[in-house]
Amino acid sequence: MAEVNTGGGGEAKKGKPKKMHLRVDFTPMVDMNMLLITFFMFCTTLSKPQIMNLVVPTKDKKEIDNSKKNQVDDLKTITVLLGSNDEVYYYEGQPKYEDYTSLIKTNYSPTGFRAYLVKRNGAVIDKMRDLRAQKQQKKITEEEFTKQSDELLSDKKGLVVIIKPTDGATYKNLVDVLDEIQICSIGIYAIVDVTDGDKFMIQNYLEKGALSAQAGKFKNK
Protein backbone atom coordinates (compact mmCIF):
# COMPACT_ATOMS: atom_id res chain seq x y z
CA MET A 1 0.00 0.00 0.00
CA ALA A 2 1.12 3.54 -0.67
CA GLU A 3 1.07 6.13 2.06
CA VAL A 4 1.44 9.90 1.62
CA ASN A 5 2.77 12.02 4.44
CA THR A 6 2.50 15.78 4.23
CA GLY A 7 5.29 16.49 6.66
CA GLY A 8 5.11 18.47 9.93
CA GLY A 9 2.02 19.98 11.50
CA GLY A 10 3.10 23.57 10.93
CA GLU A 11 1.68 25.67 8.17
CA ALA A 12 3.67 26.05 4.99
CA LYS A 13 5.20 29.38 4.29
CA LYS A 14 3.29 31.59 1.97
CA GLY A 15 4.15 30.98 -1.68
CA LYS A 16 5.86 27.62 -1.05
CA PRO A 17 4.17 24.22 -1.58
CA LYS A 18 3.91 21.74 1.23
CA LYS A 19 6.54 19.00 1.23
CA MET A 20 5.05 15.54 0.70
CA HIS A 21 6.76 12.23 1.45
CA LEU A 22 5.64 9.09 -0.42
CA ARG A 23 6.16 5.62 1.07
CA VAL A 24 5.33 2.56 -1.03
CA ASP A 25 4.74 -0.84 0.58
CA PHE A 26 6.01 -3.62 -1.74
CA THR A 27 4.72 -6.50 0.39
CA PRO A 28 1.82 -7.35 -2.00
CA MET A 29 4.27 -7.35 -4.92
CA VAL A 30 6.49 -9.89 -3.14
CA ASP A 31 3.49 -12.13 -2.52
CA MET A 32 2.50 -11.98 -6.18
CA ASN A 33 6.05 -12.81 -7.31
CA MET A 34 6.13 -15.84 -5.02
CA LEU A 35 2.83 -17.06 -6.47
CA LEU A 36 4.14 -16.68 -10.02
CA ILE A 37 7.39 -18.50 -9.22
CA THR A 38 5.44 -21.34 -7.58
CA PHE A 39 3.10 -21.54 -10.59
CA PHE A 40 5.94 -21.78 -13.14
CA MET A 41 7.83 -24.34 -11.04
CA PHE A 42 4.70 -26.47 -10.79
CA CYS A 43 4.00 -26.32 -14.55
CA THR A 44 7.63 -27.08 -15.41
CA THR A 45 7.58 -30.14 -13.16
CA LEU A 46 4.43 -31.51 -14.79
CA SER A 47 5.49 -30.96 -18.39
CA LYS A 48 7.05 -34.02 -20.00
CA PRO A 49 9.71 -33.66 -22.69
CA GLN A 50 8.61 -34.72 -26.16
CA ILE A 51 11.19 -37.03 -27.73
CA MET A 52 11.44 -38.97 -30.96
CA ASN A 53 13.55 -42.03 -31.66
CA LEU A 54 15.59 -41.53 -34.82
CA VAL A 55 17.38 -44.20 -36.81
CA VAL A 56 20.58 -43.15 -38.56
CA PRO A 57 22.86 -45.11 -40.87
CA THR A 58 25.45 -47.33 -39.22
CA LYS A 59 29.08 -47.84 -40.22
CA ASP A 60 29.39 -51.12 -38.31
CA LYS A 61 29.81 -53.94 -40.86
CA LYS A 62 28.32 -56.52 -38.48
CA GLU A 63 25.17 -54.45 -38.06
CA ILE A 64 24.91 -54.00 -41.82
CA ASP A 65 25.21 -57.75 -42.39
CA ASN A 66 22.58 -58.45 -39.74
CA SER A 67 20.21 -55.88 -41.21
CA LYS A 68 20.34 -57.62 -44.59
CA LYS A 69 18.80 -60.71 -43.01
CA ASN A 70 15.64 -58.73 -42.21
CA GLN A 71 15.12 -56.77 -45.40
CA VAL A 72 11.91 -54.77 -45.57
CA ASP A 73 9.34 -55.44 -48.27
CA ASP A 74 9.68 -52.85 -51.03
CA LEU A 75 5.92 -52.36 -50.98
CA LYS A 76 6.21 -51.17 -47.38
CA THR A 77 9.08 -48.73 -48.00
CA ILE A 78 8.54 -45.04 -48.73
CA THR A 79 11.45 -42.74 -49.54
CA VAL A 80 10.91 -39.02 -48.96
CA LEU A 81 13.14 -36.45 -50.66
CA LEU A 82 13.15 -32.97 -49.13
CA GLY A 83 13.86 -30.47 -51.89
CA SER A 84 14.44 -26.74 -51.95
CA ASN A 85 11.70 -24.09 -51.77
CA ASP A 86 9.64 -26.27 -49.39
CA GLU A 87 9.24 -28.97 -52.06
CA VAL A 88 8.80 -32.59 -50.99
CA TYR A 89 8.88 -35.71 -53.19
CA TYR A 90 8.38 -39.39 -52.46
CA TYR A 91 8.49 -42.74 -54.19
CA GLU A 92 7.57 -46.27 -53.15
CA GLY A 93 9.91 -49.26 -53.08
CA GLN A 94 13.06 -49.24 -55.20
CA PRO A 95 13.83 -46.11 -57.24
CA LYS A 96 12.86 -46.22 -60.91
CA TYR A 97 15.36 -43.81 -62.42
CA GLU A 98 14.12 -44.23 -65.97
CA ASP A 99 10.49 -43.45 -65.06
CA TYR A 100 10.19 -39.87 -63.84
CA THR A 101 6.47 -40.36 -63.06
CA SER A 102 7.41 -42.79 -60.25
CA LEU A 103 8.47 -39.75 -58.24
CA ILE A 104 5.49 -37.93 -56.72
CA LYS A 105 5.60 -34.27 -55.79
CA THR A 106 3.46 -33.13 -52.86
CA ASN A 107 3.52 -30.60 -50.02
CA TYR A 108 3.44 -30.40 -46.23
CA SER A 109 -0.26 -29.55 -45.92
CA PRO A 110 -2.82 -31.95 -44.38
CA THR A 111 -4.08 -32.71 -47.89
CA GLY A 112 -0.56 -33.42 -49.15
CA PHE A 113 1.95 -35.87 -47.67
CA ARG A 114 -0.21 -36.47 -44.59
CA ALA A 115 -3.16 -37.59 -46.70
CA TYR A 116 -0.92 -40.09 -48.47
CA LEU A 117 0.40 -41.51 -45.18
CA VAL A 118 -3.11 -41.75 -43.74
CA LYS A 119 -4.17 -43.75 -46.79
CA ARG A 120 -1.19 -46.10 -46.54
CA ASN A 121 -1.18 -46.45 -42.74
CA GLY A 122 -4.89 -46.15 -41.95
CA ALA A 123 -5.14 -49.46 -40.05
CA VAL A 124 -2.38 -48.54 -37.60
CA ILE A 125 -3.79 -45.04 -37.14
CA ASP A 126 -7.19 -46.50 -36.22
CA LYS A 127 -5.63 -48.89 -33.70
CA MET A 128 -3.63 -46.07 -32.10
CA ARG A 129 -6.77 -43.93 -31.89
CA ASP A 130 -8.57 -46.82 -30.18
CA LEU A 131 -5.71 -47.26 -27.68
CA ARG A 132 -5.77 -43.55 -26.80
CA ALA A 133 -9.54 -43.71 -26.28
CA GLN A 134 -9.14 -46.71 -23.95
CA LYS A 135 -6.50 -44.84 -21.95
CA GLN A 136 -8.68 -41.74 -21.62
CA GLN A 137 -11.62 -43.88 -20.51
CA LYS A 138 -9.37 -45.58 -17.89
CA LYS A 139 -9.89 -48.98 -19.53
CA ILE A 140 -6.12 -49.47 -19.71
CA THR A 141 -3.31 -48.02 -17.62
CA GLU A 142 -0.56 -45.75 -18.86
CA GLU A 143 1.89 -48.66 -18.72
CA GLU A 144 -0.42 -50.89 -20.77
CA PHE A 145 -0.94 -48.13 -23.31
CA THR A 146 2.82 -47.60 -23.68
CA LYS A 147 3.47 -51.32 -24.07
CA GLN A 148 0.72 -51.92 -26.64
CA SER A 149 1.53 -48.80 -28.65
CA ASP A 150 5.24 -49.69 -28.76
CA GLU A 151 4.40 -53.18 -30.02
CA LEU A 152 2.10 -51.72 -32.65
CA LEU A 153 4.58 -49.12 -33.91
CA SER A 154 7.55 -51.50 -33.93
CA ASP A 155 5.82 -54.11 -36.08
CA LYS A 156 8.28 -55.09 -38.81
CA LYS A 157 5.38 -55.59 -41.21
CA GLY A 158 4.45 -51.92 -40.95
CA LEU A 159 5.49 -49.01 -43.15
CA VAL A 160 9.09 -47.84 -43.23
CA VAL A 161 9.81 -44.22 -44.15
CA ILE A 162 13.28 -43.15 -45.30
CA ILE A 163 13.89 -39.40 -45.15
CA LYS A 164 16.57 -37.85 -47.38
CA PRO A 165 17.09 -34.08 -47.07
CA THR A 166 18.78 -32.40 -50.03
CA ASP A 167 21.17 -29.46 -49.74
CA GLY A 168 18.30 -27.06 -50.44
CA ALA A 169 16.08 -28.37 -47.64
CA THR A 170 15.71 -26.43 -44.39
CA TYR A 171 15.57 -27.58 -40.79
CA LYS A 172 11.88 -26.66 -40.76
CA ASN A 173 11.25 -29.05 -43.66
CA LEU A 174 12.74 -31.91 -41.67
CA VAL A 175 10.69 -31.02 -38.59
CA ASP A 176 7.51 -30.83 -40.69
CA VAL A 177 8.08 -34.32 -42.13
CA LEU A 178 8.81 -35.75 -38.68
CA ASP A 179 5.59 -34.17 -37.41
CA GLU A 180 3.60 -35.84 -40.19
CA ILE A 181 5.23 -39.18 -39.37
CA GLN A 182 4.23 -38.83 -35.72
CA ILE A 183 0.69 -37.77 -36.59
CA CYS A 184 0.28 -40.75 -38.92
CA SER A 185 1.66 -43.27 -36.39
CA ILE A 186 4.70 -44.34 -38.42
CA GLY A 187 6.87 -46.31 -36.01
CA ILE A 188 9.89 -47.11 -38.18
CA TYR A 189 11.71 -44.32 -40.01
CA ALA A 190 15.26 -43.20 -40.68
CA ILE A 191 17.15 -40.10 -41.80
CA VAL A 192 19.87 -40.90 -44.34
CA ASP A 193 22.06 -38.99 -46.77
CA VAL A 194 20.68 -38.14 -50.18
CA THR A 195 22.38 -39.91 -53.11
CA ASP A 196 23.28 -38.73 -56.60
CA GLY A 197 20.52 -41.00 -57.90
CA ASP A 198 17.96 -39.20 -55.72
CA LYS A 199 19.13 -35.83 -57.01
CA PHE A 200 18.89 -37.18 -60.56
CA MET A 201 15.30 -38.30 -59.97
CA ILE A 202 14.31 -34.82 -58.81
CA GLN A 203 16.03 -33.14 -61.76
CA ASN A 204 14.54 -35.64 -64.21
CA TYR A 205 11.08 -35.00 -62.74
CA LEU A 206 11.48 -31.24 -63.10
CA GLU A 207 12.53 -31.70 -66.73
CA LYS A 208 9.63 -34.09 -67.45
CA GLY A 209 11.80 -37.12 -68.20
CA ALA A 210 14.24 -35.38 -70.50
CA LEU A 211 17.15 -37.02 -68.65
CA SER A 212 15.76 -40.57 -68.67
CA ALA A 213 18.44 -41.70 -71.13
CA GLN A 214 21.04 -41.14 -68.39
CA ALA A 215 19.24 -43.35 -65.87
CA GLY A 216 21.37 -46.41 -66.62
CA LYS A 217 24.36 -45.21 -64.64
CA PHE A 218 22.35 -45.16 -61.41
CA LYS A 219 20.61 -48.54 -61.64
CA ASN A 220 23.40 -50.65 -60.18
CA LYS A 221 24.36 -48.23 -57.42
Side-chain angles (χ1 to χ4, degrees), residues 168-196:
T170 64
Y171 180 76
K172 180 179 181 300
N173 297 151
L174 180 60
V175 172
D176 288 342
V177 167
L178 292 175
D179 285 343
E180 298 303 326
I181 287 176
Q182 287 292 97
I183 292 172
C184 298
S185 302
I186 305 293
I188 304 177
Y189 49 92
I191 302 174
V192 302
D193 293 333
V194 67
T195 65
D196 291 337

Side-chain angles (χ1 to χ4, degrees), residues 76-80 113 117 159-163 177 181 186 188-191:
K76 296 290 185 178
T77 304
I78 303 169
T79 301
V80 186
F113 189 57
L117 291 181
L159 287 180
V160 176
V161 177
I162 301 174
I163 306 170
V177 167
I181 287 176
I186 305 293
I188 304 177
Y189 49 92
I191 302 174

Side-chain angles (χ1 to χ4, degrees), residues 15-108:
K16 291 185 178 181
K18 292 183 179 181
K19 292 183 178 181
M20 303 177 67
H21 301 282
L22 180 65
R23 185 175 69 86
V24 179
D25 185 2
F26 284 97
T27 302
M29 183 66 71
V30 174
D31 292 340
M32 183 180 69
N33 288 335
M34 290 301 298
L35 288 174
L36 289 174
I37 292 173
T38 304
F39 171 76
F40 286 118
M41 289 177 63
F42 183 71
C43 291
T44 304
T45 303
L46 289 183
S47 63
K48 295 182 180 180
Q50 301 295 321
I51 62 174
M52 297 179 67
N53 296 322
L54 297 180
V55 180
V56 296
T58 179
K59 295 183 179 179
D60 192 332
K61 186 177 184 303
K62 292 183 178 179
E63 292 186 22
I64 294 175
D65 293 338
N66 291 333
S67 65
K68 290 181 179 178
K69 297 178 181 178
N70 298 314
Q71 297 243 347
V72 181
D73 186 353
D74 288 342
L75 297 177
K76 296 290 185 178
T77 304
I78 303 169
T79 301
V80 186
L81 307 178
L82 309 184
S84 56
N85 301 320
D86 294 332
E87 296 174 342
V88 56
Y89 307 84
Y90 68 87
Y91 61 86
E92 300 177 351
Q94 295 294 329
K96 301 179 180 63
Y97 300 111
E98 70 284 354
D99 181 11
Y100 80 95
T101 61
S102 63
L103 188 66
I104 308 300
K105 182 179 179 181
T106 184
N107 52 54
Y108 298 96

Side-chain angles (χ1 to χ4, degrees), residues 106-203:
T106 184
N107 52 54
Y108 298 96
S109 70
T111 58
F113 189 57
R114 184 188 305 180
Y116 167 74
L117 291 181
V118 169
K119 182 179 179 180
R120 290 295 310 274
N121 206 43
V124 176
I125 295 174
D126 292 339
K127 292 178 181 179
M128 282 297 299
R129 186 183 297 114
D130 182 60
L131 284 176
R132 293 190 185 96
Q134 292 184 47
K135 185 184 70 171
Q136 292 177 354
Q137 297 170 7
K138 307 298 183 181
K139 293 182 179 180
I140 59 175
T141 63
E142 183 71 32
E143 291 75 14
E144 292 173 332
F145 170 79
T146 301
K147 179 181 179 181
Q148 294 184 39
S149 60
D150 287 346
E151 291 176 353
L152 181 62
L153 296 178
S154 60
D155 186 1
K156 294 182 180 179
K157 296 181 180 180
L159 287 180
V160 176
V161 177
I162 301 174
I163 306 170
K164 297 184 176 184
T166 65
D167 295 336
T170 64
Y171 180 76
K172 180 179 181 300
N173 297 151
L174 180 60
V175 172
D176 288 342
V177 167
L178 292 175
D179 285 343
E180 298 303 326
I181 287 176
Q182 287 292 97
I183 292 172
C184 298
S185 302
I186 305 293
I188 304 177
Y189 49 92
I191 302 174
V192 302
D193 293 333
V194 67
T195 65
D196 291 337
D198 297 321
K199 296 177 182 178
F200 168 80
M201 290 186 69
I202 294 178
Q203 189 62 34

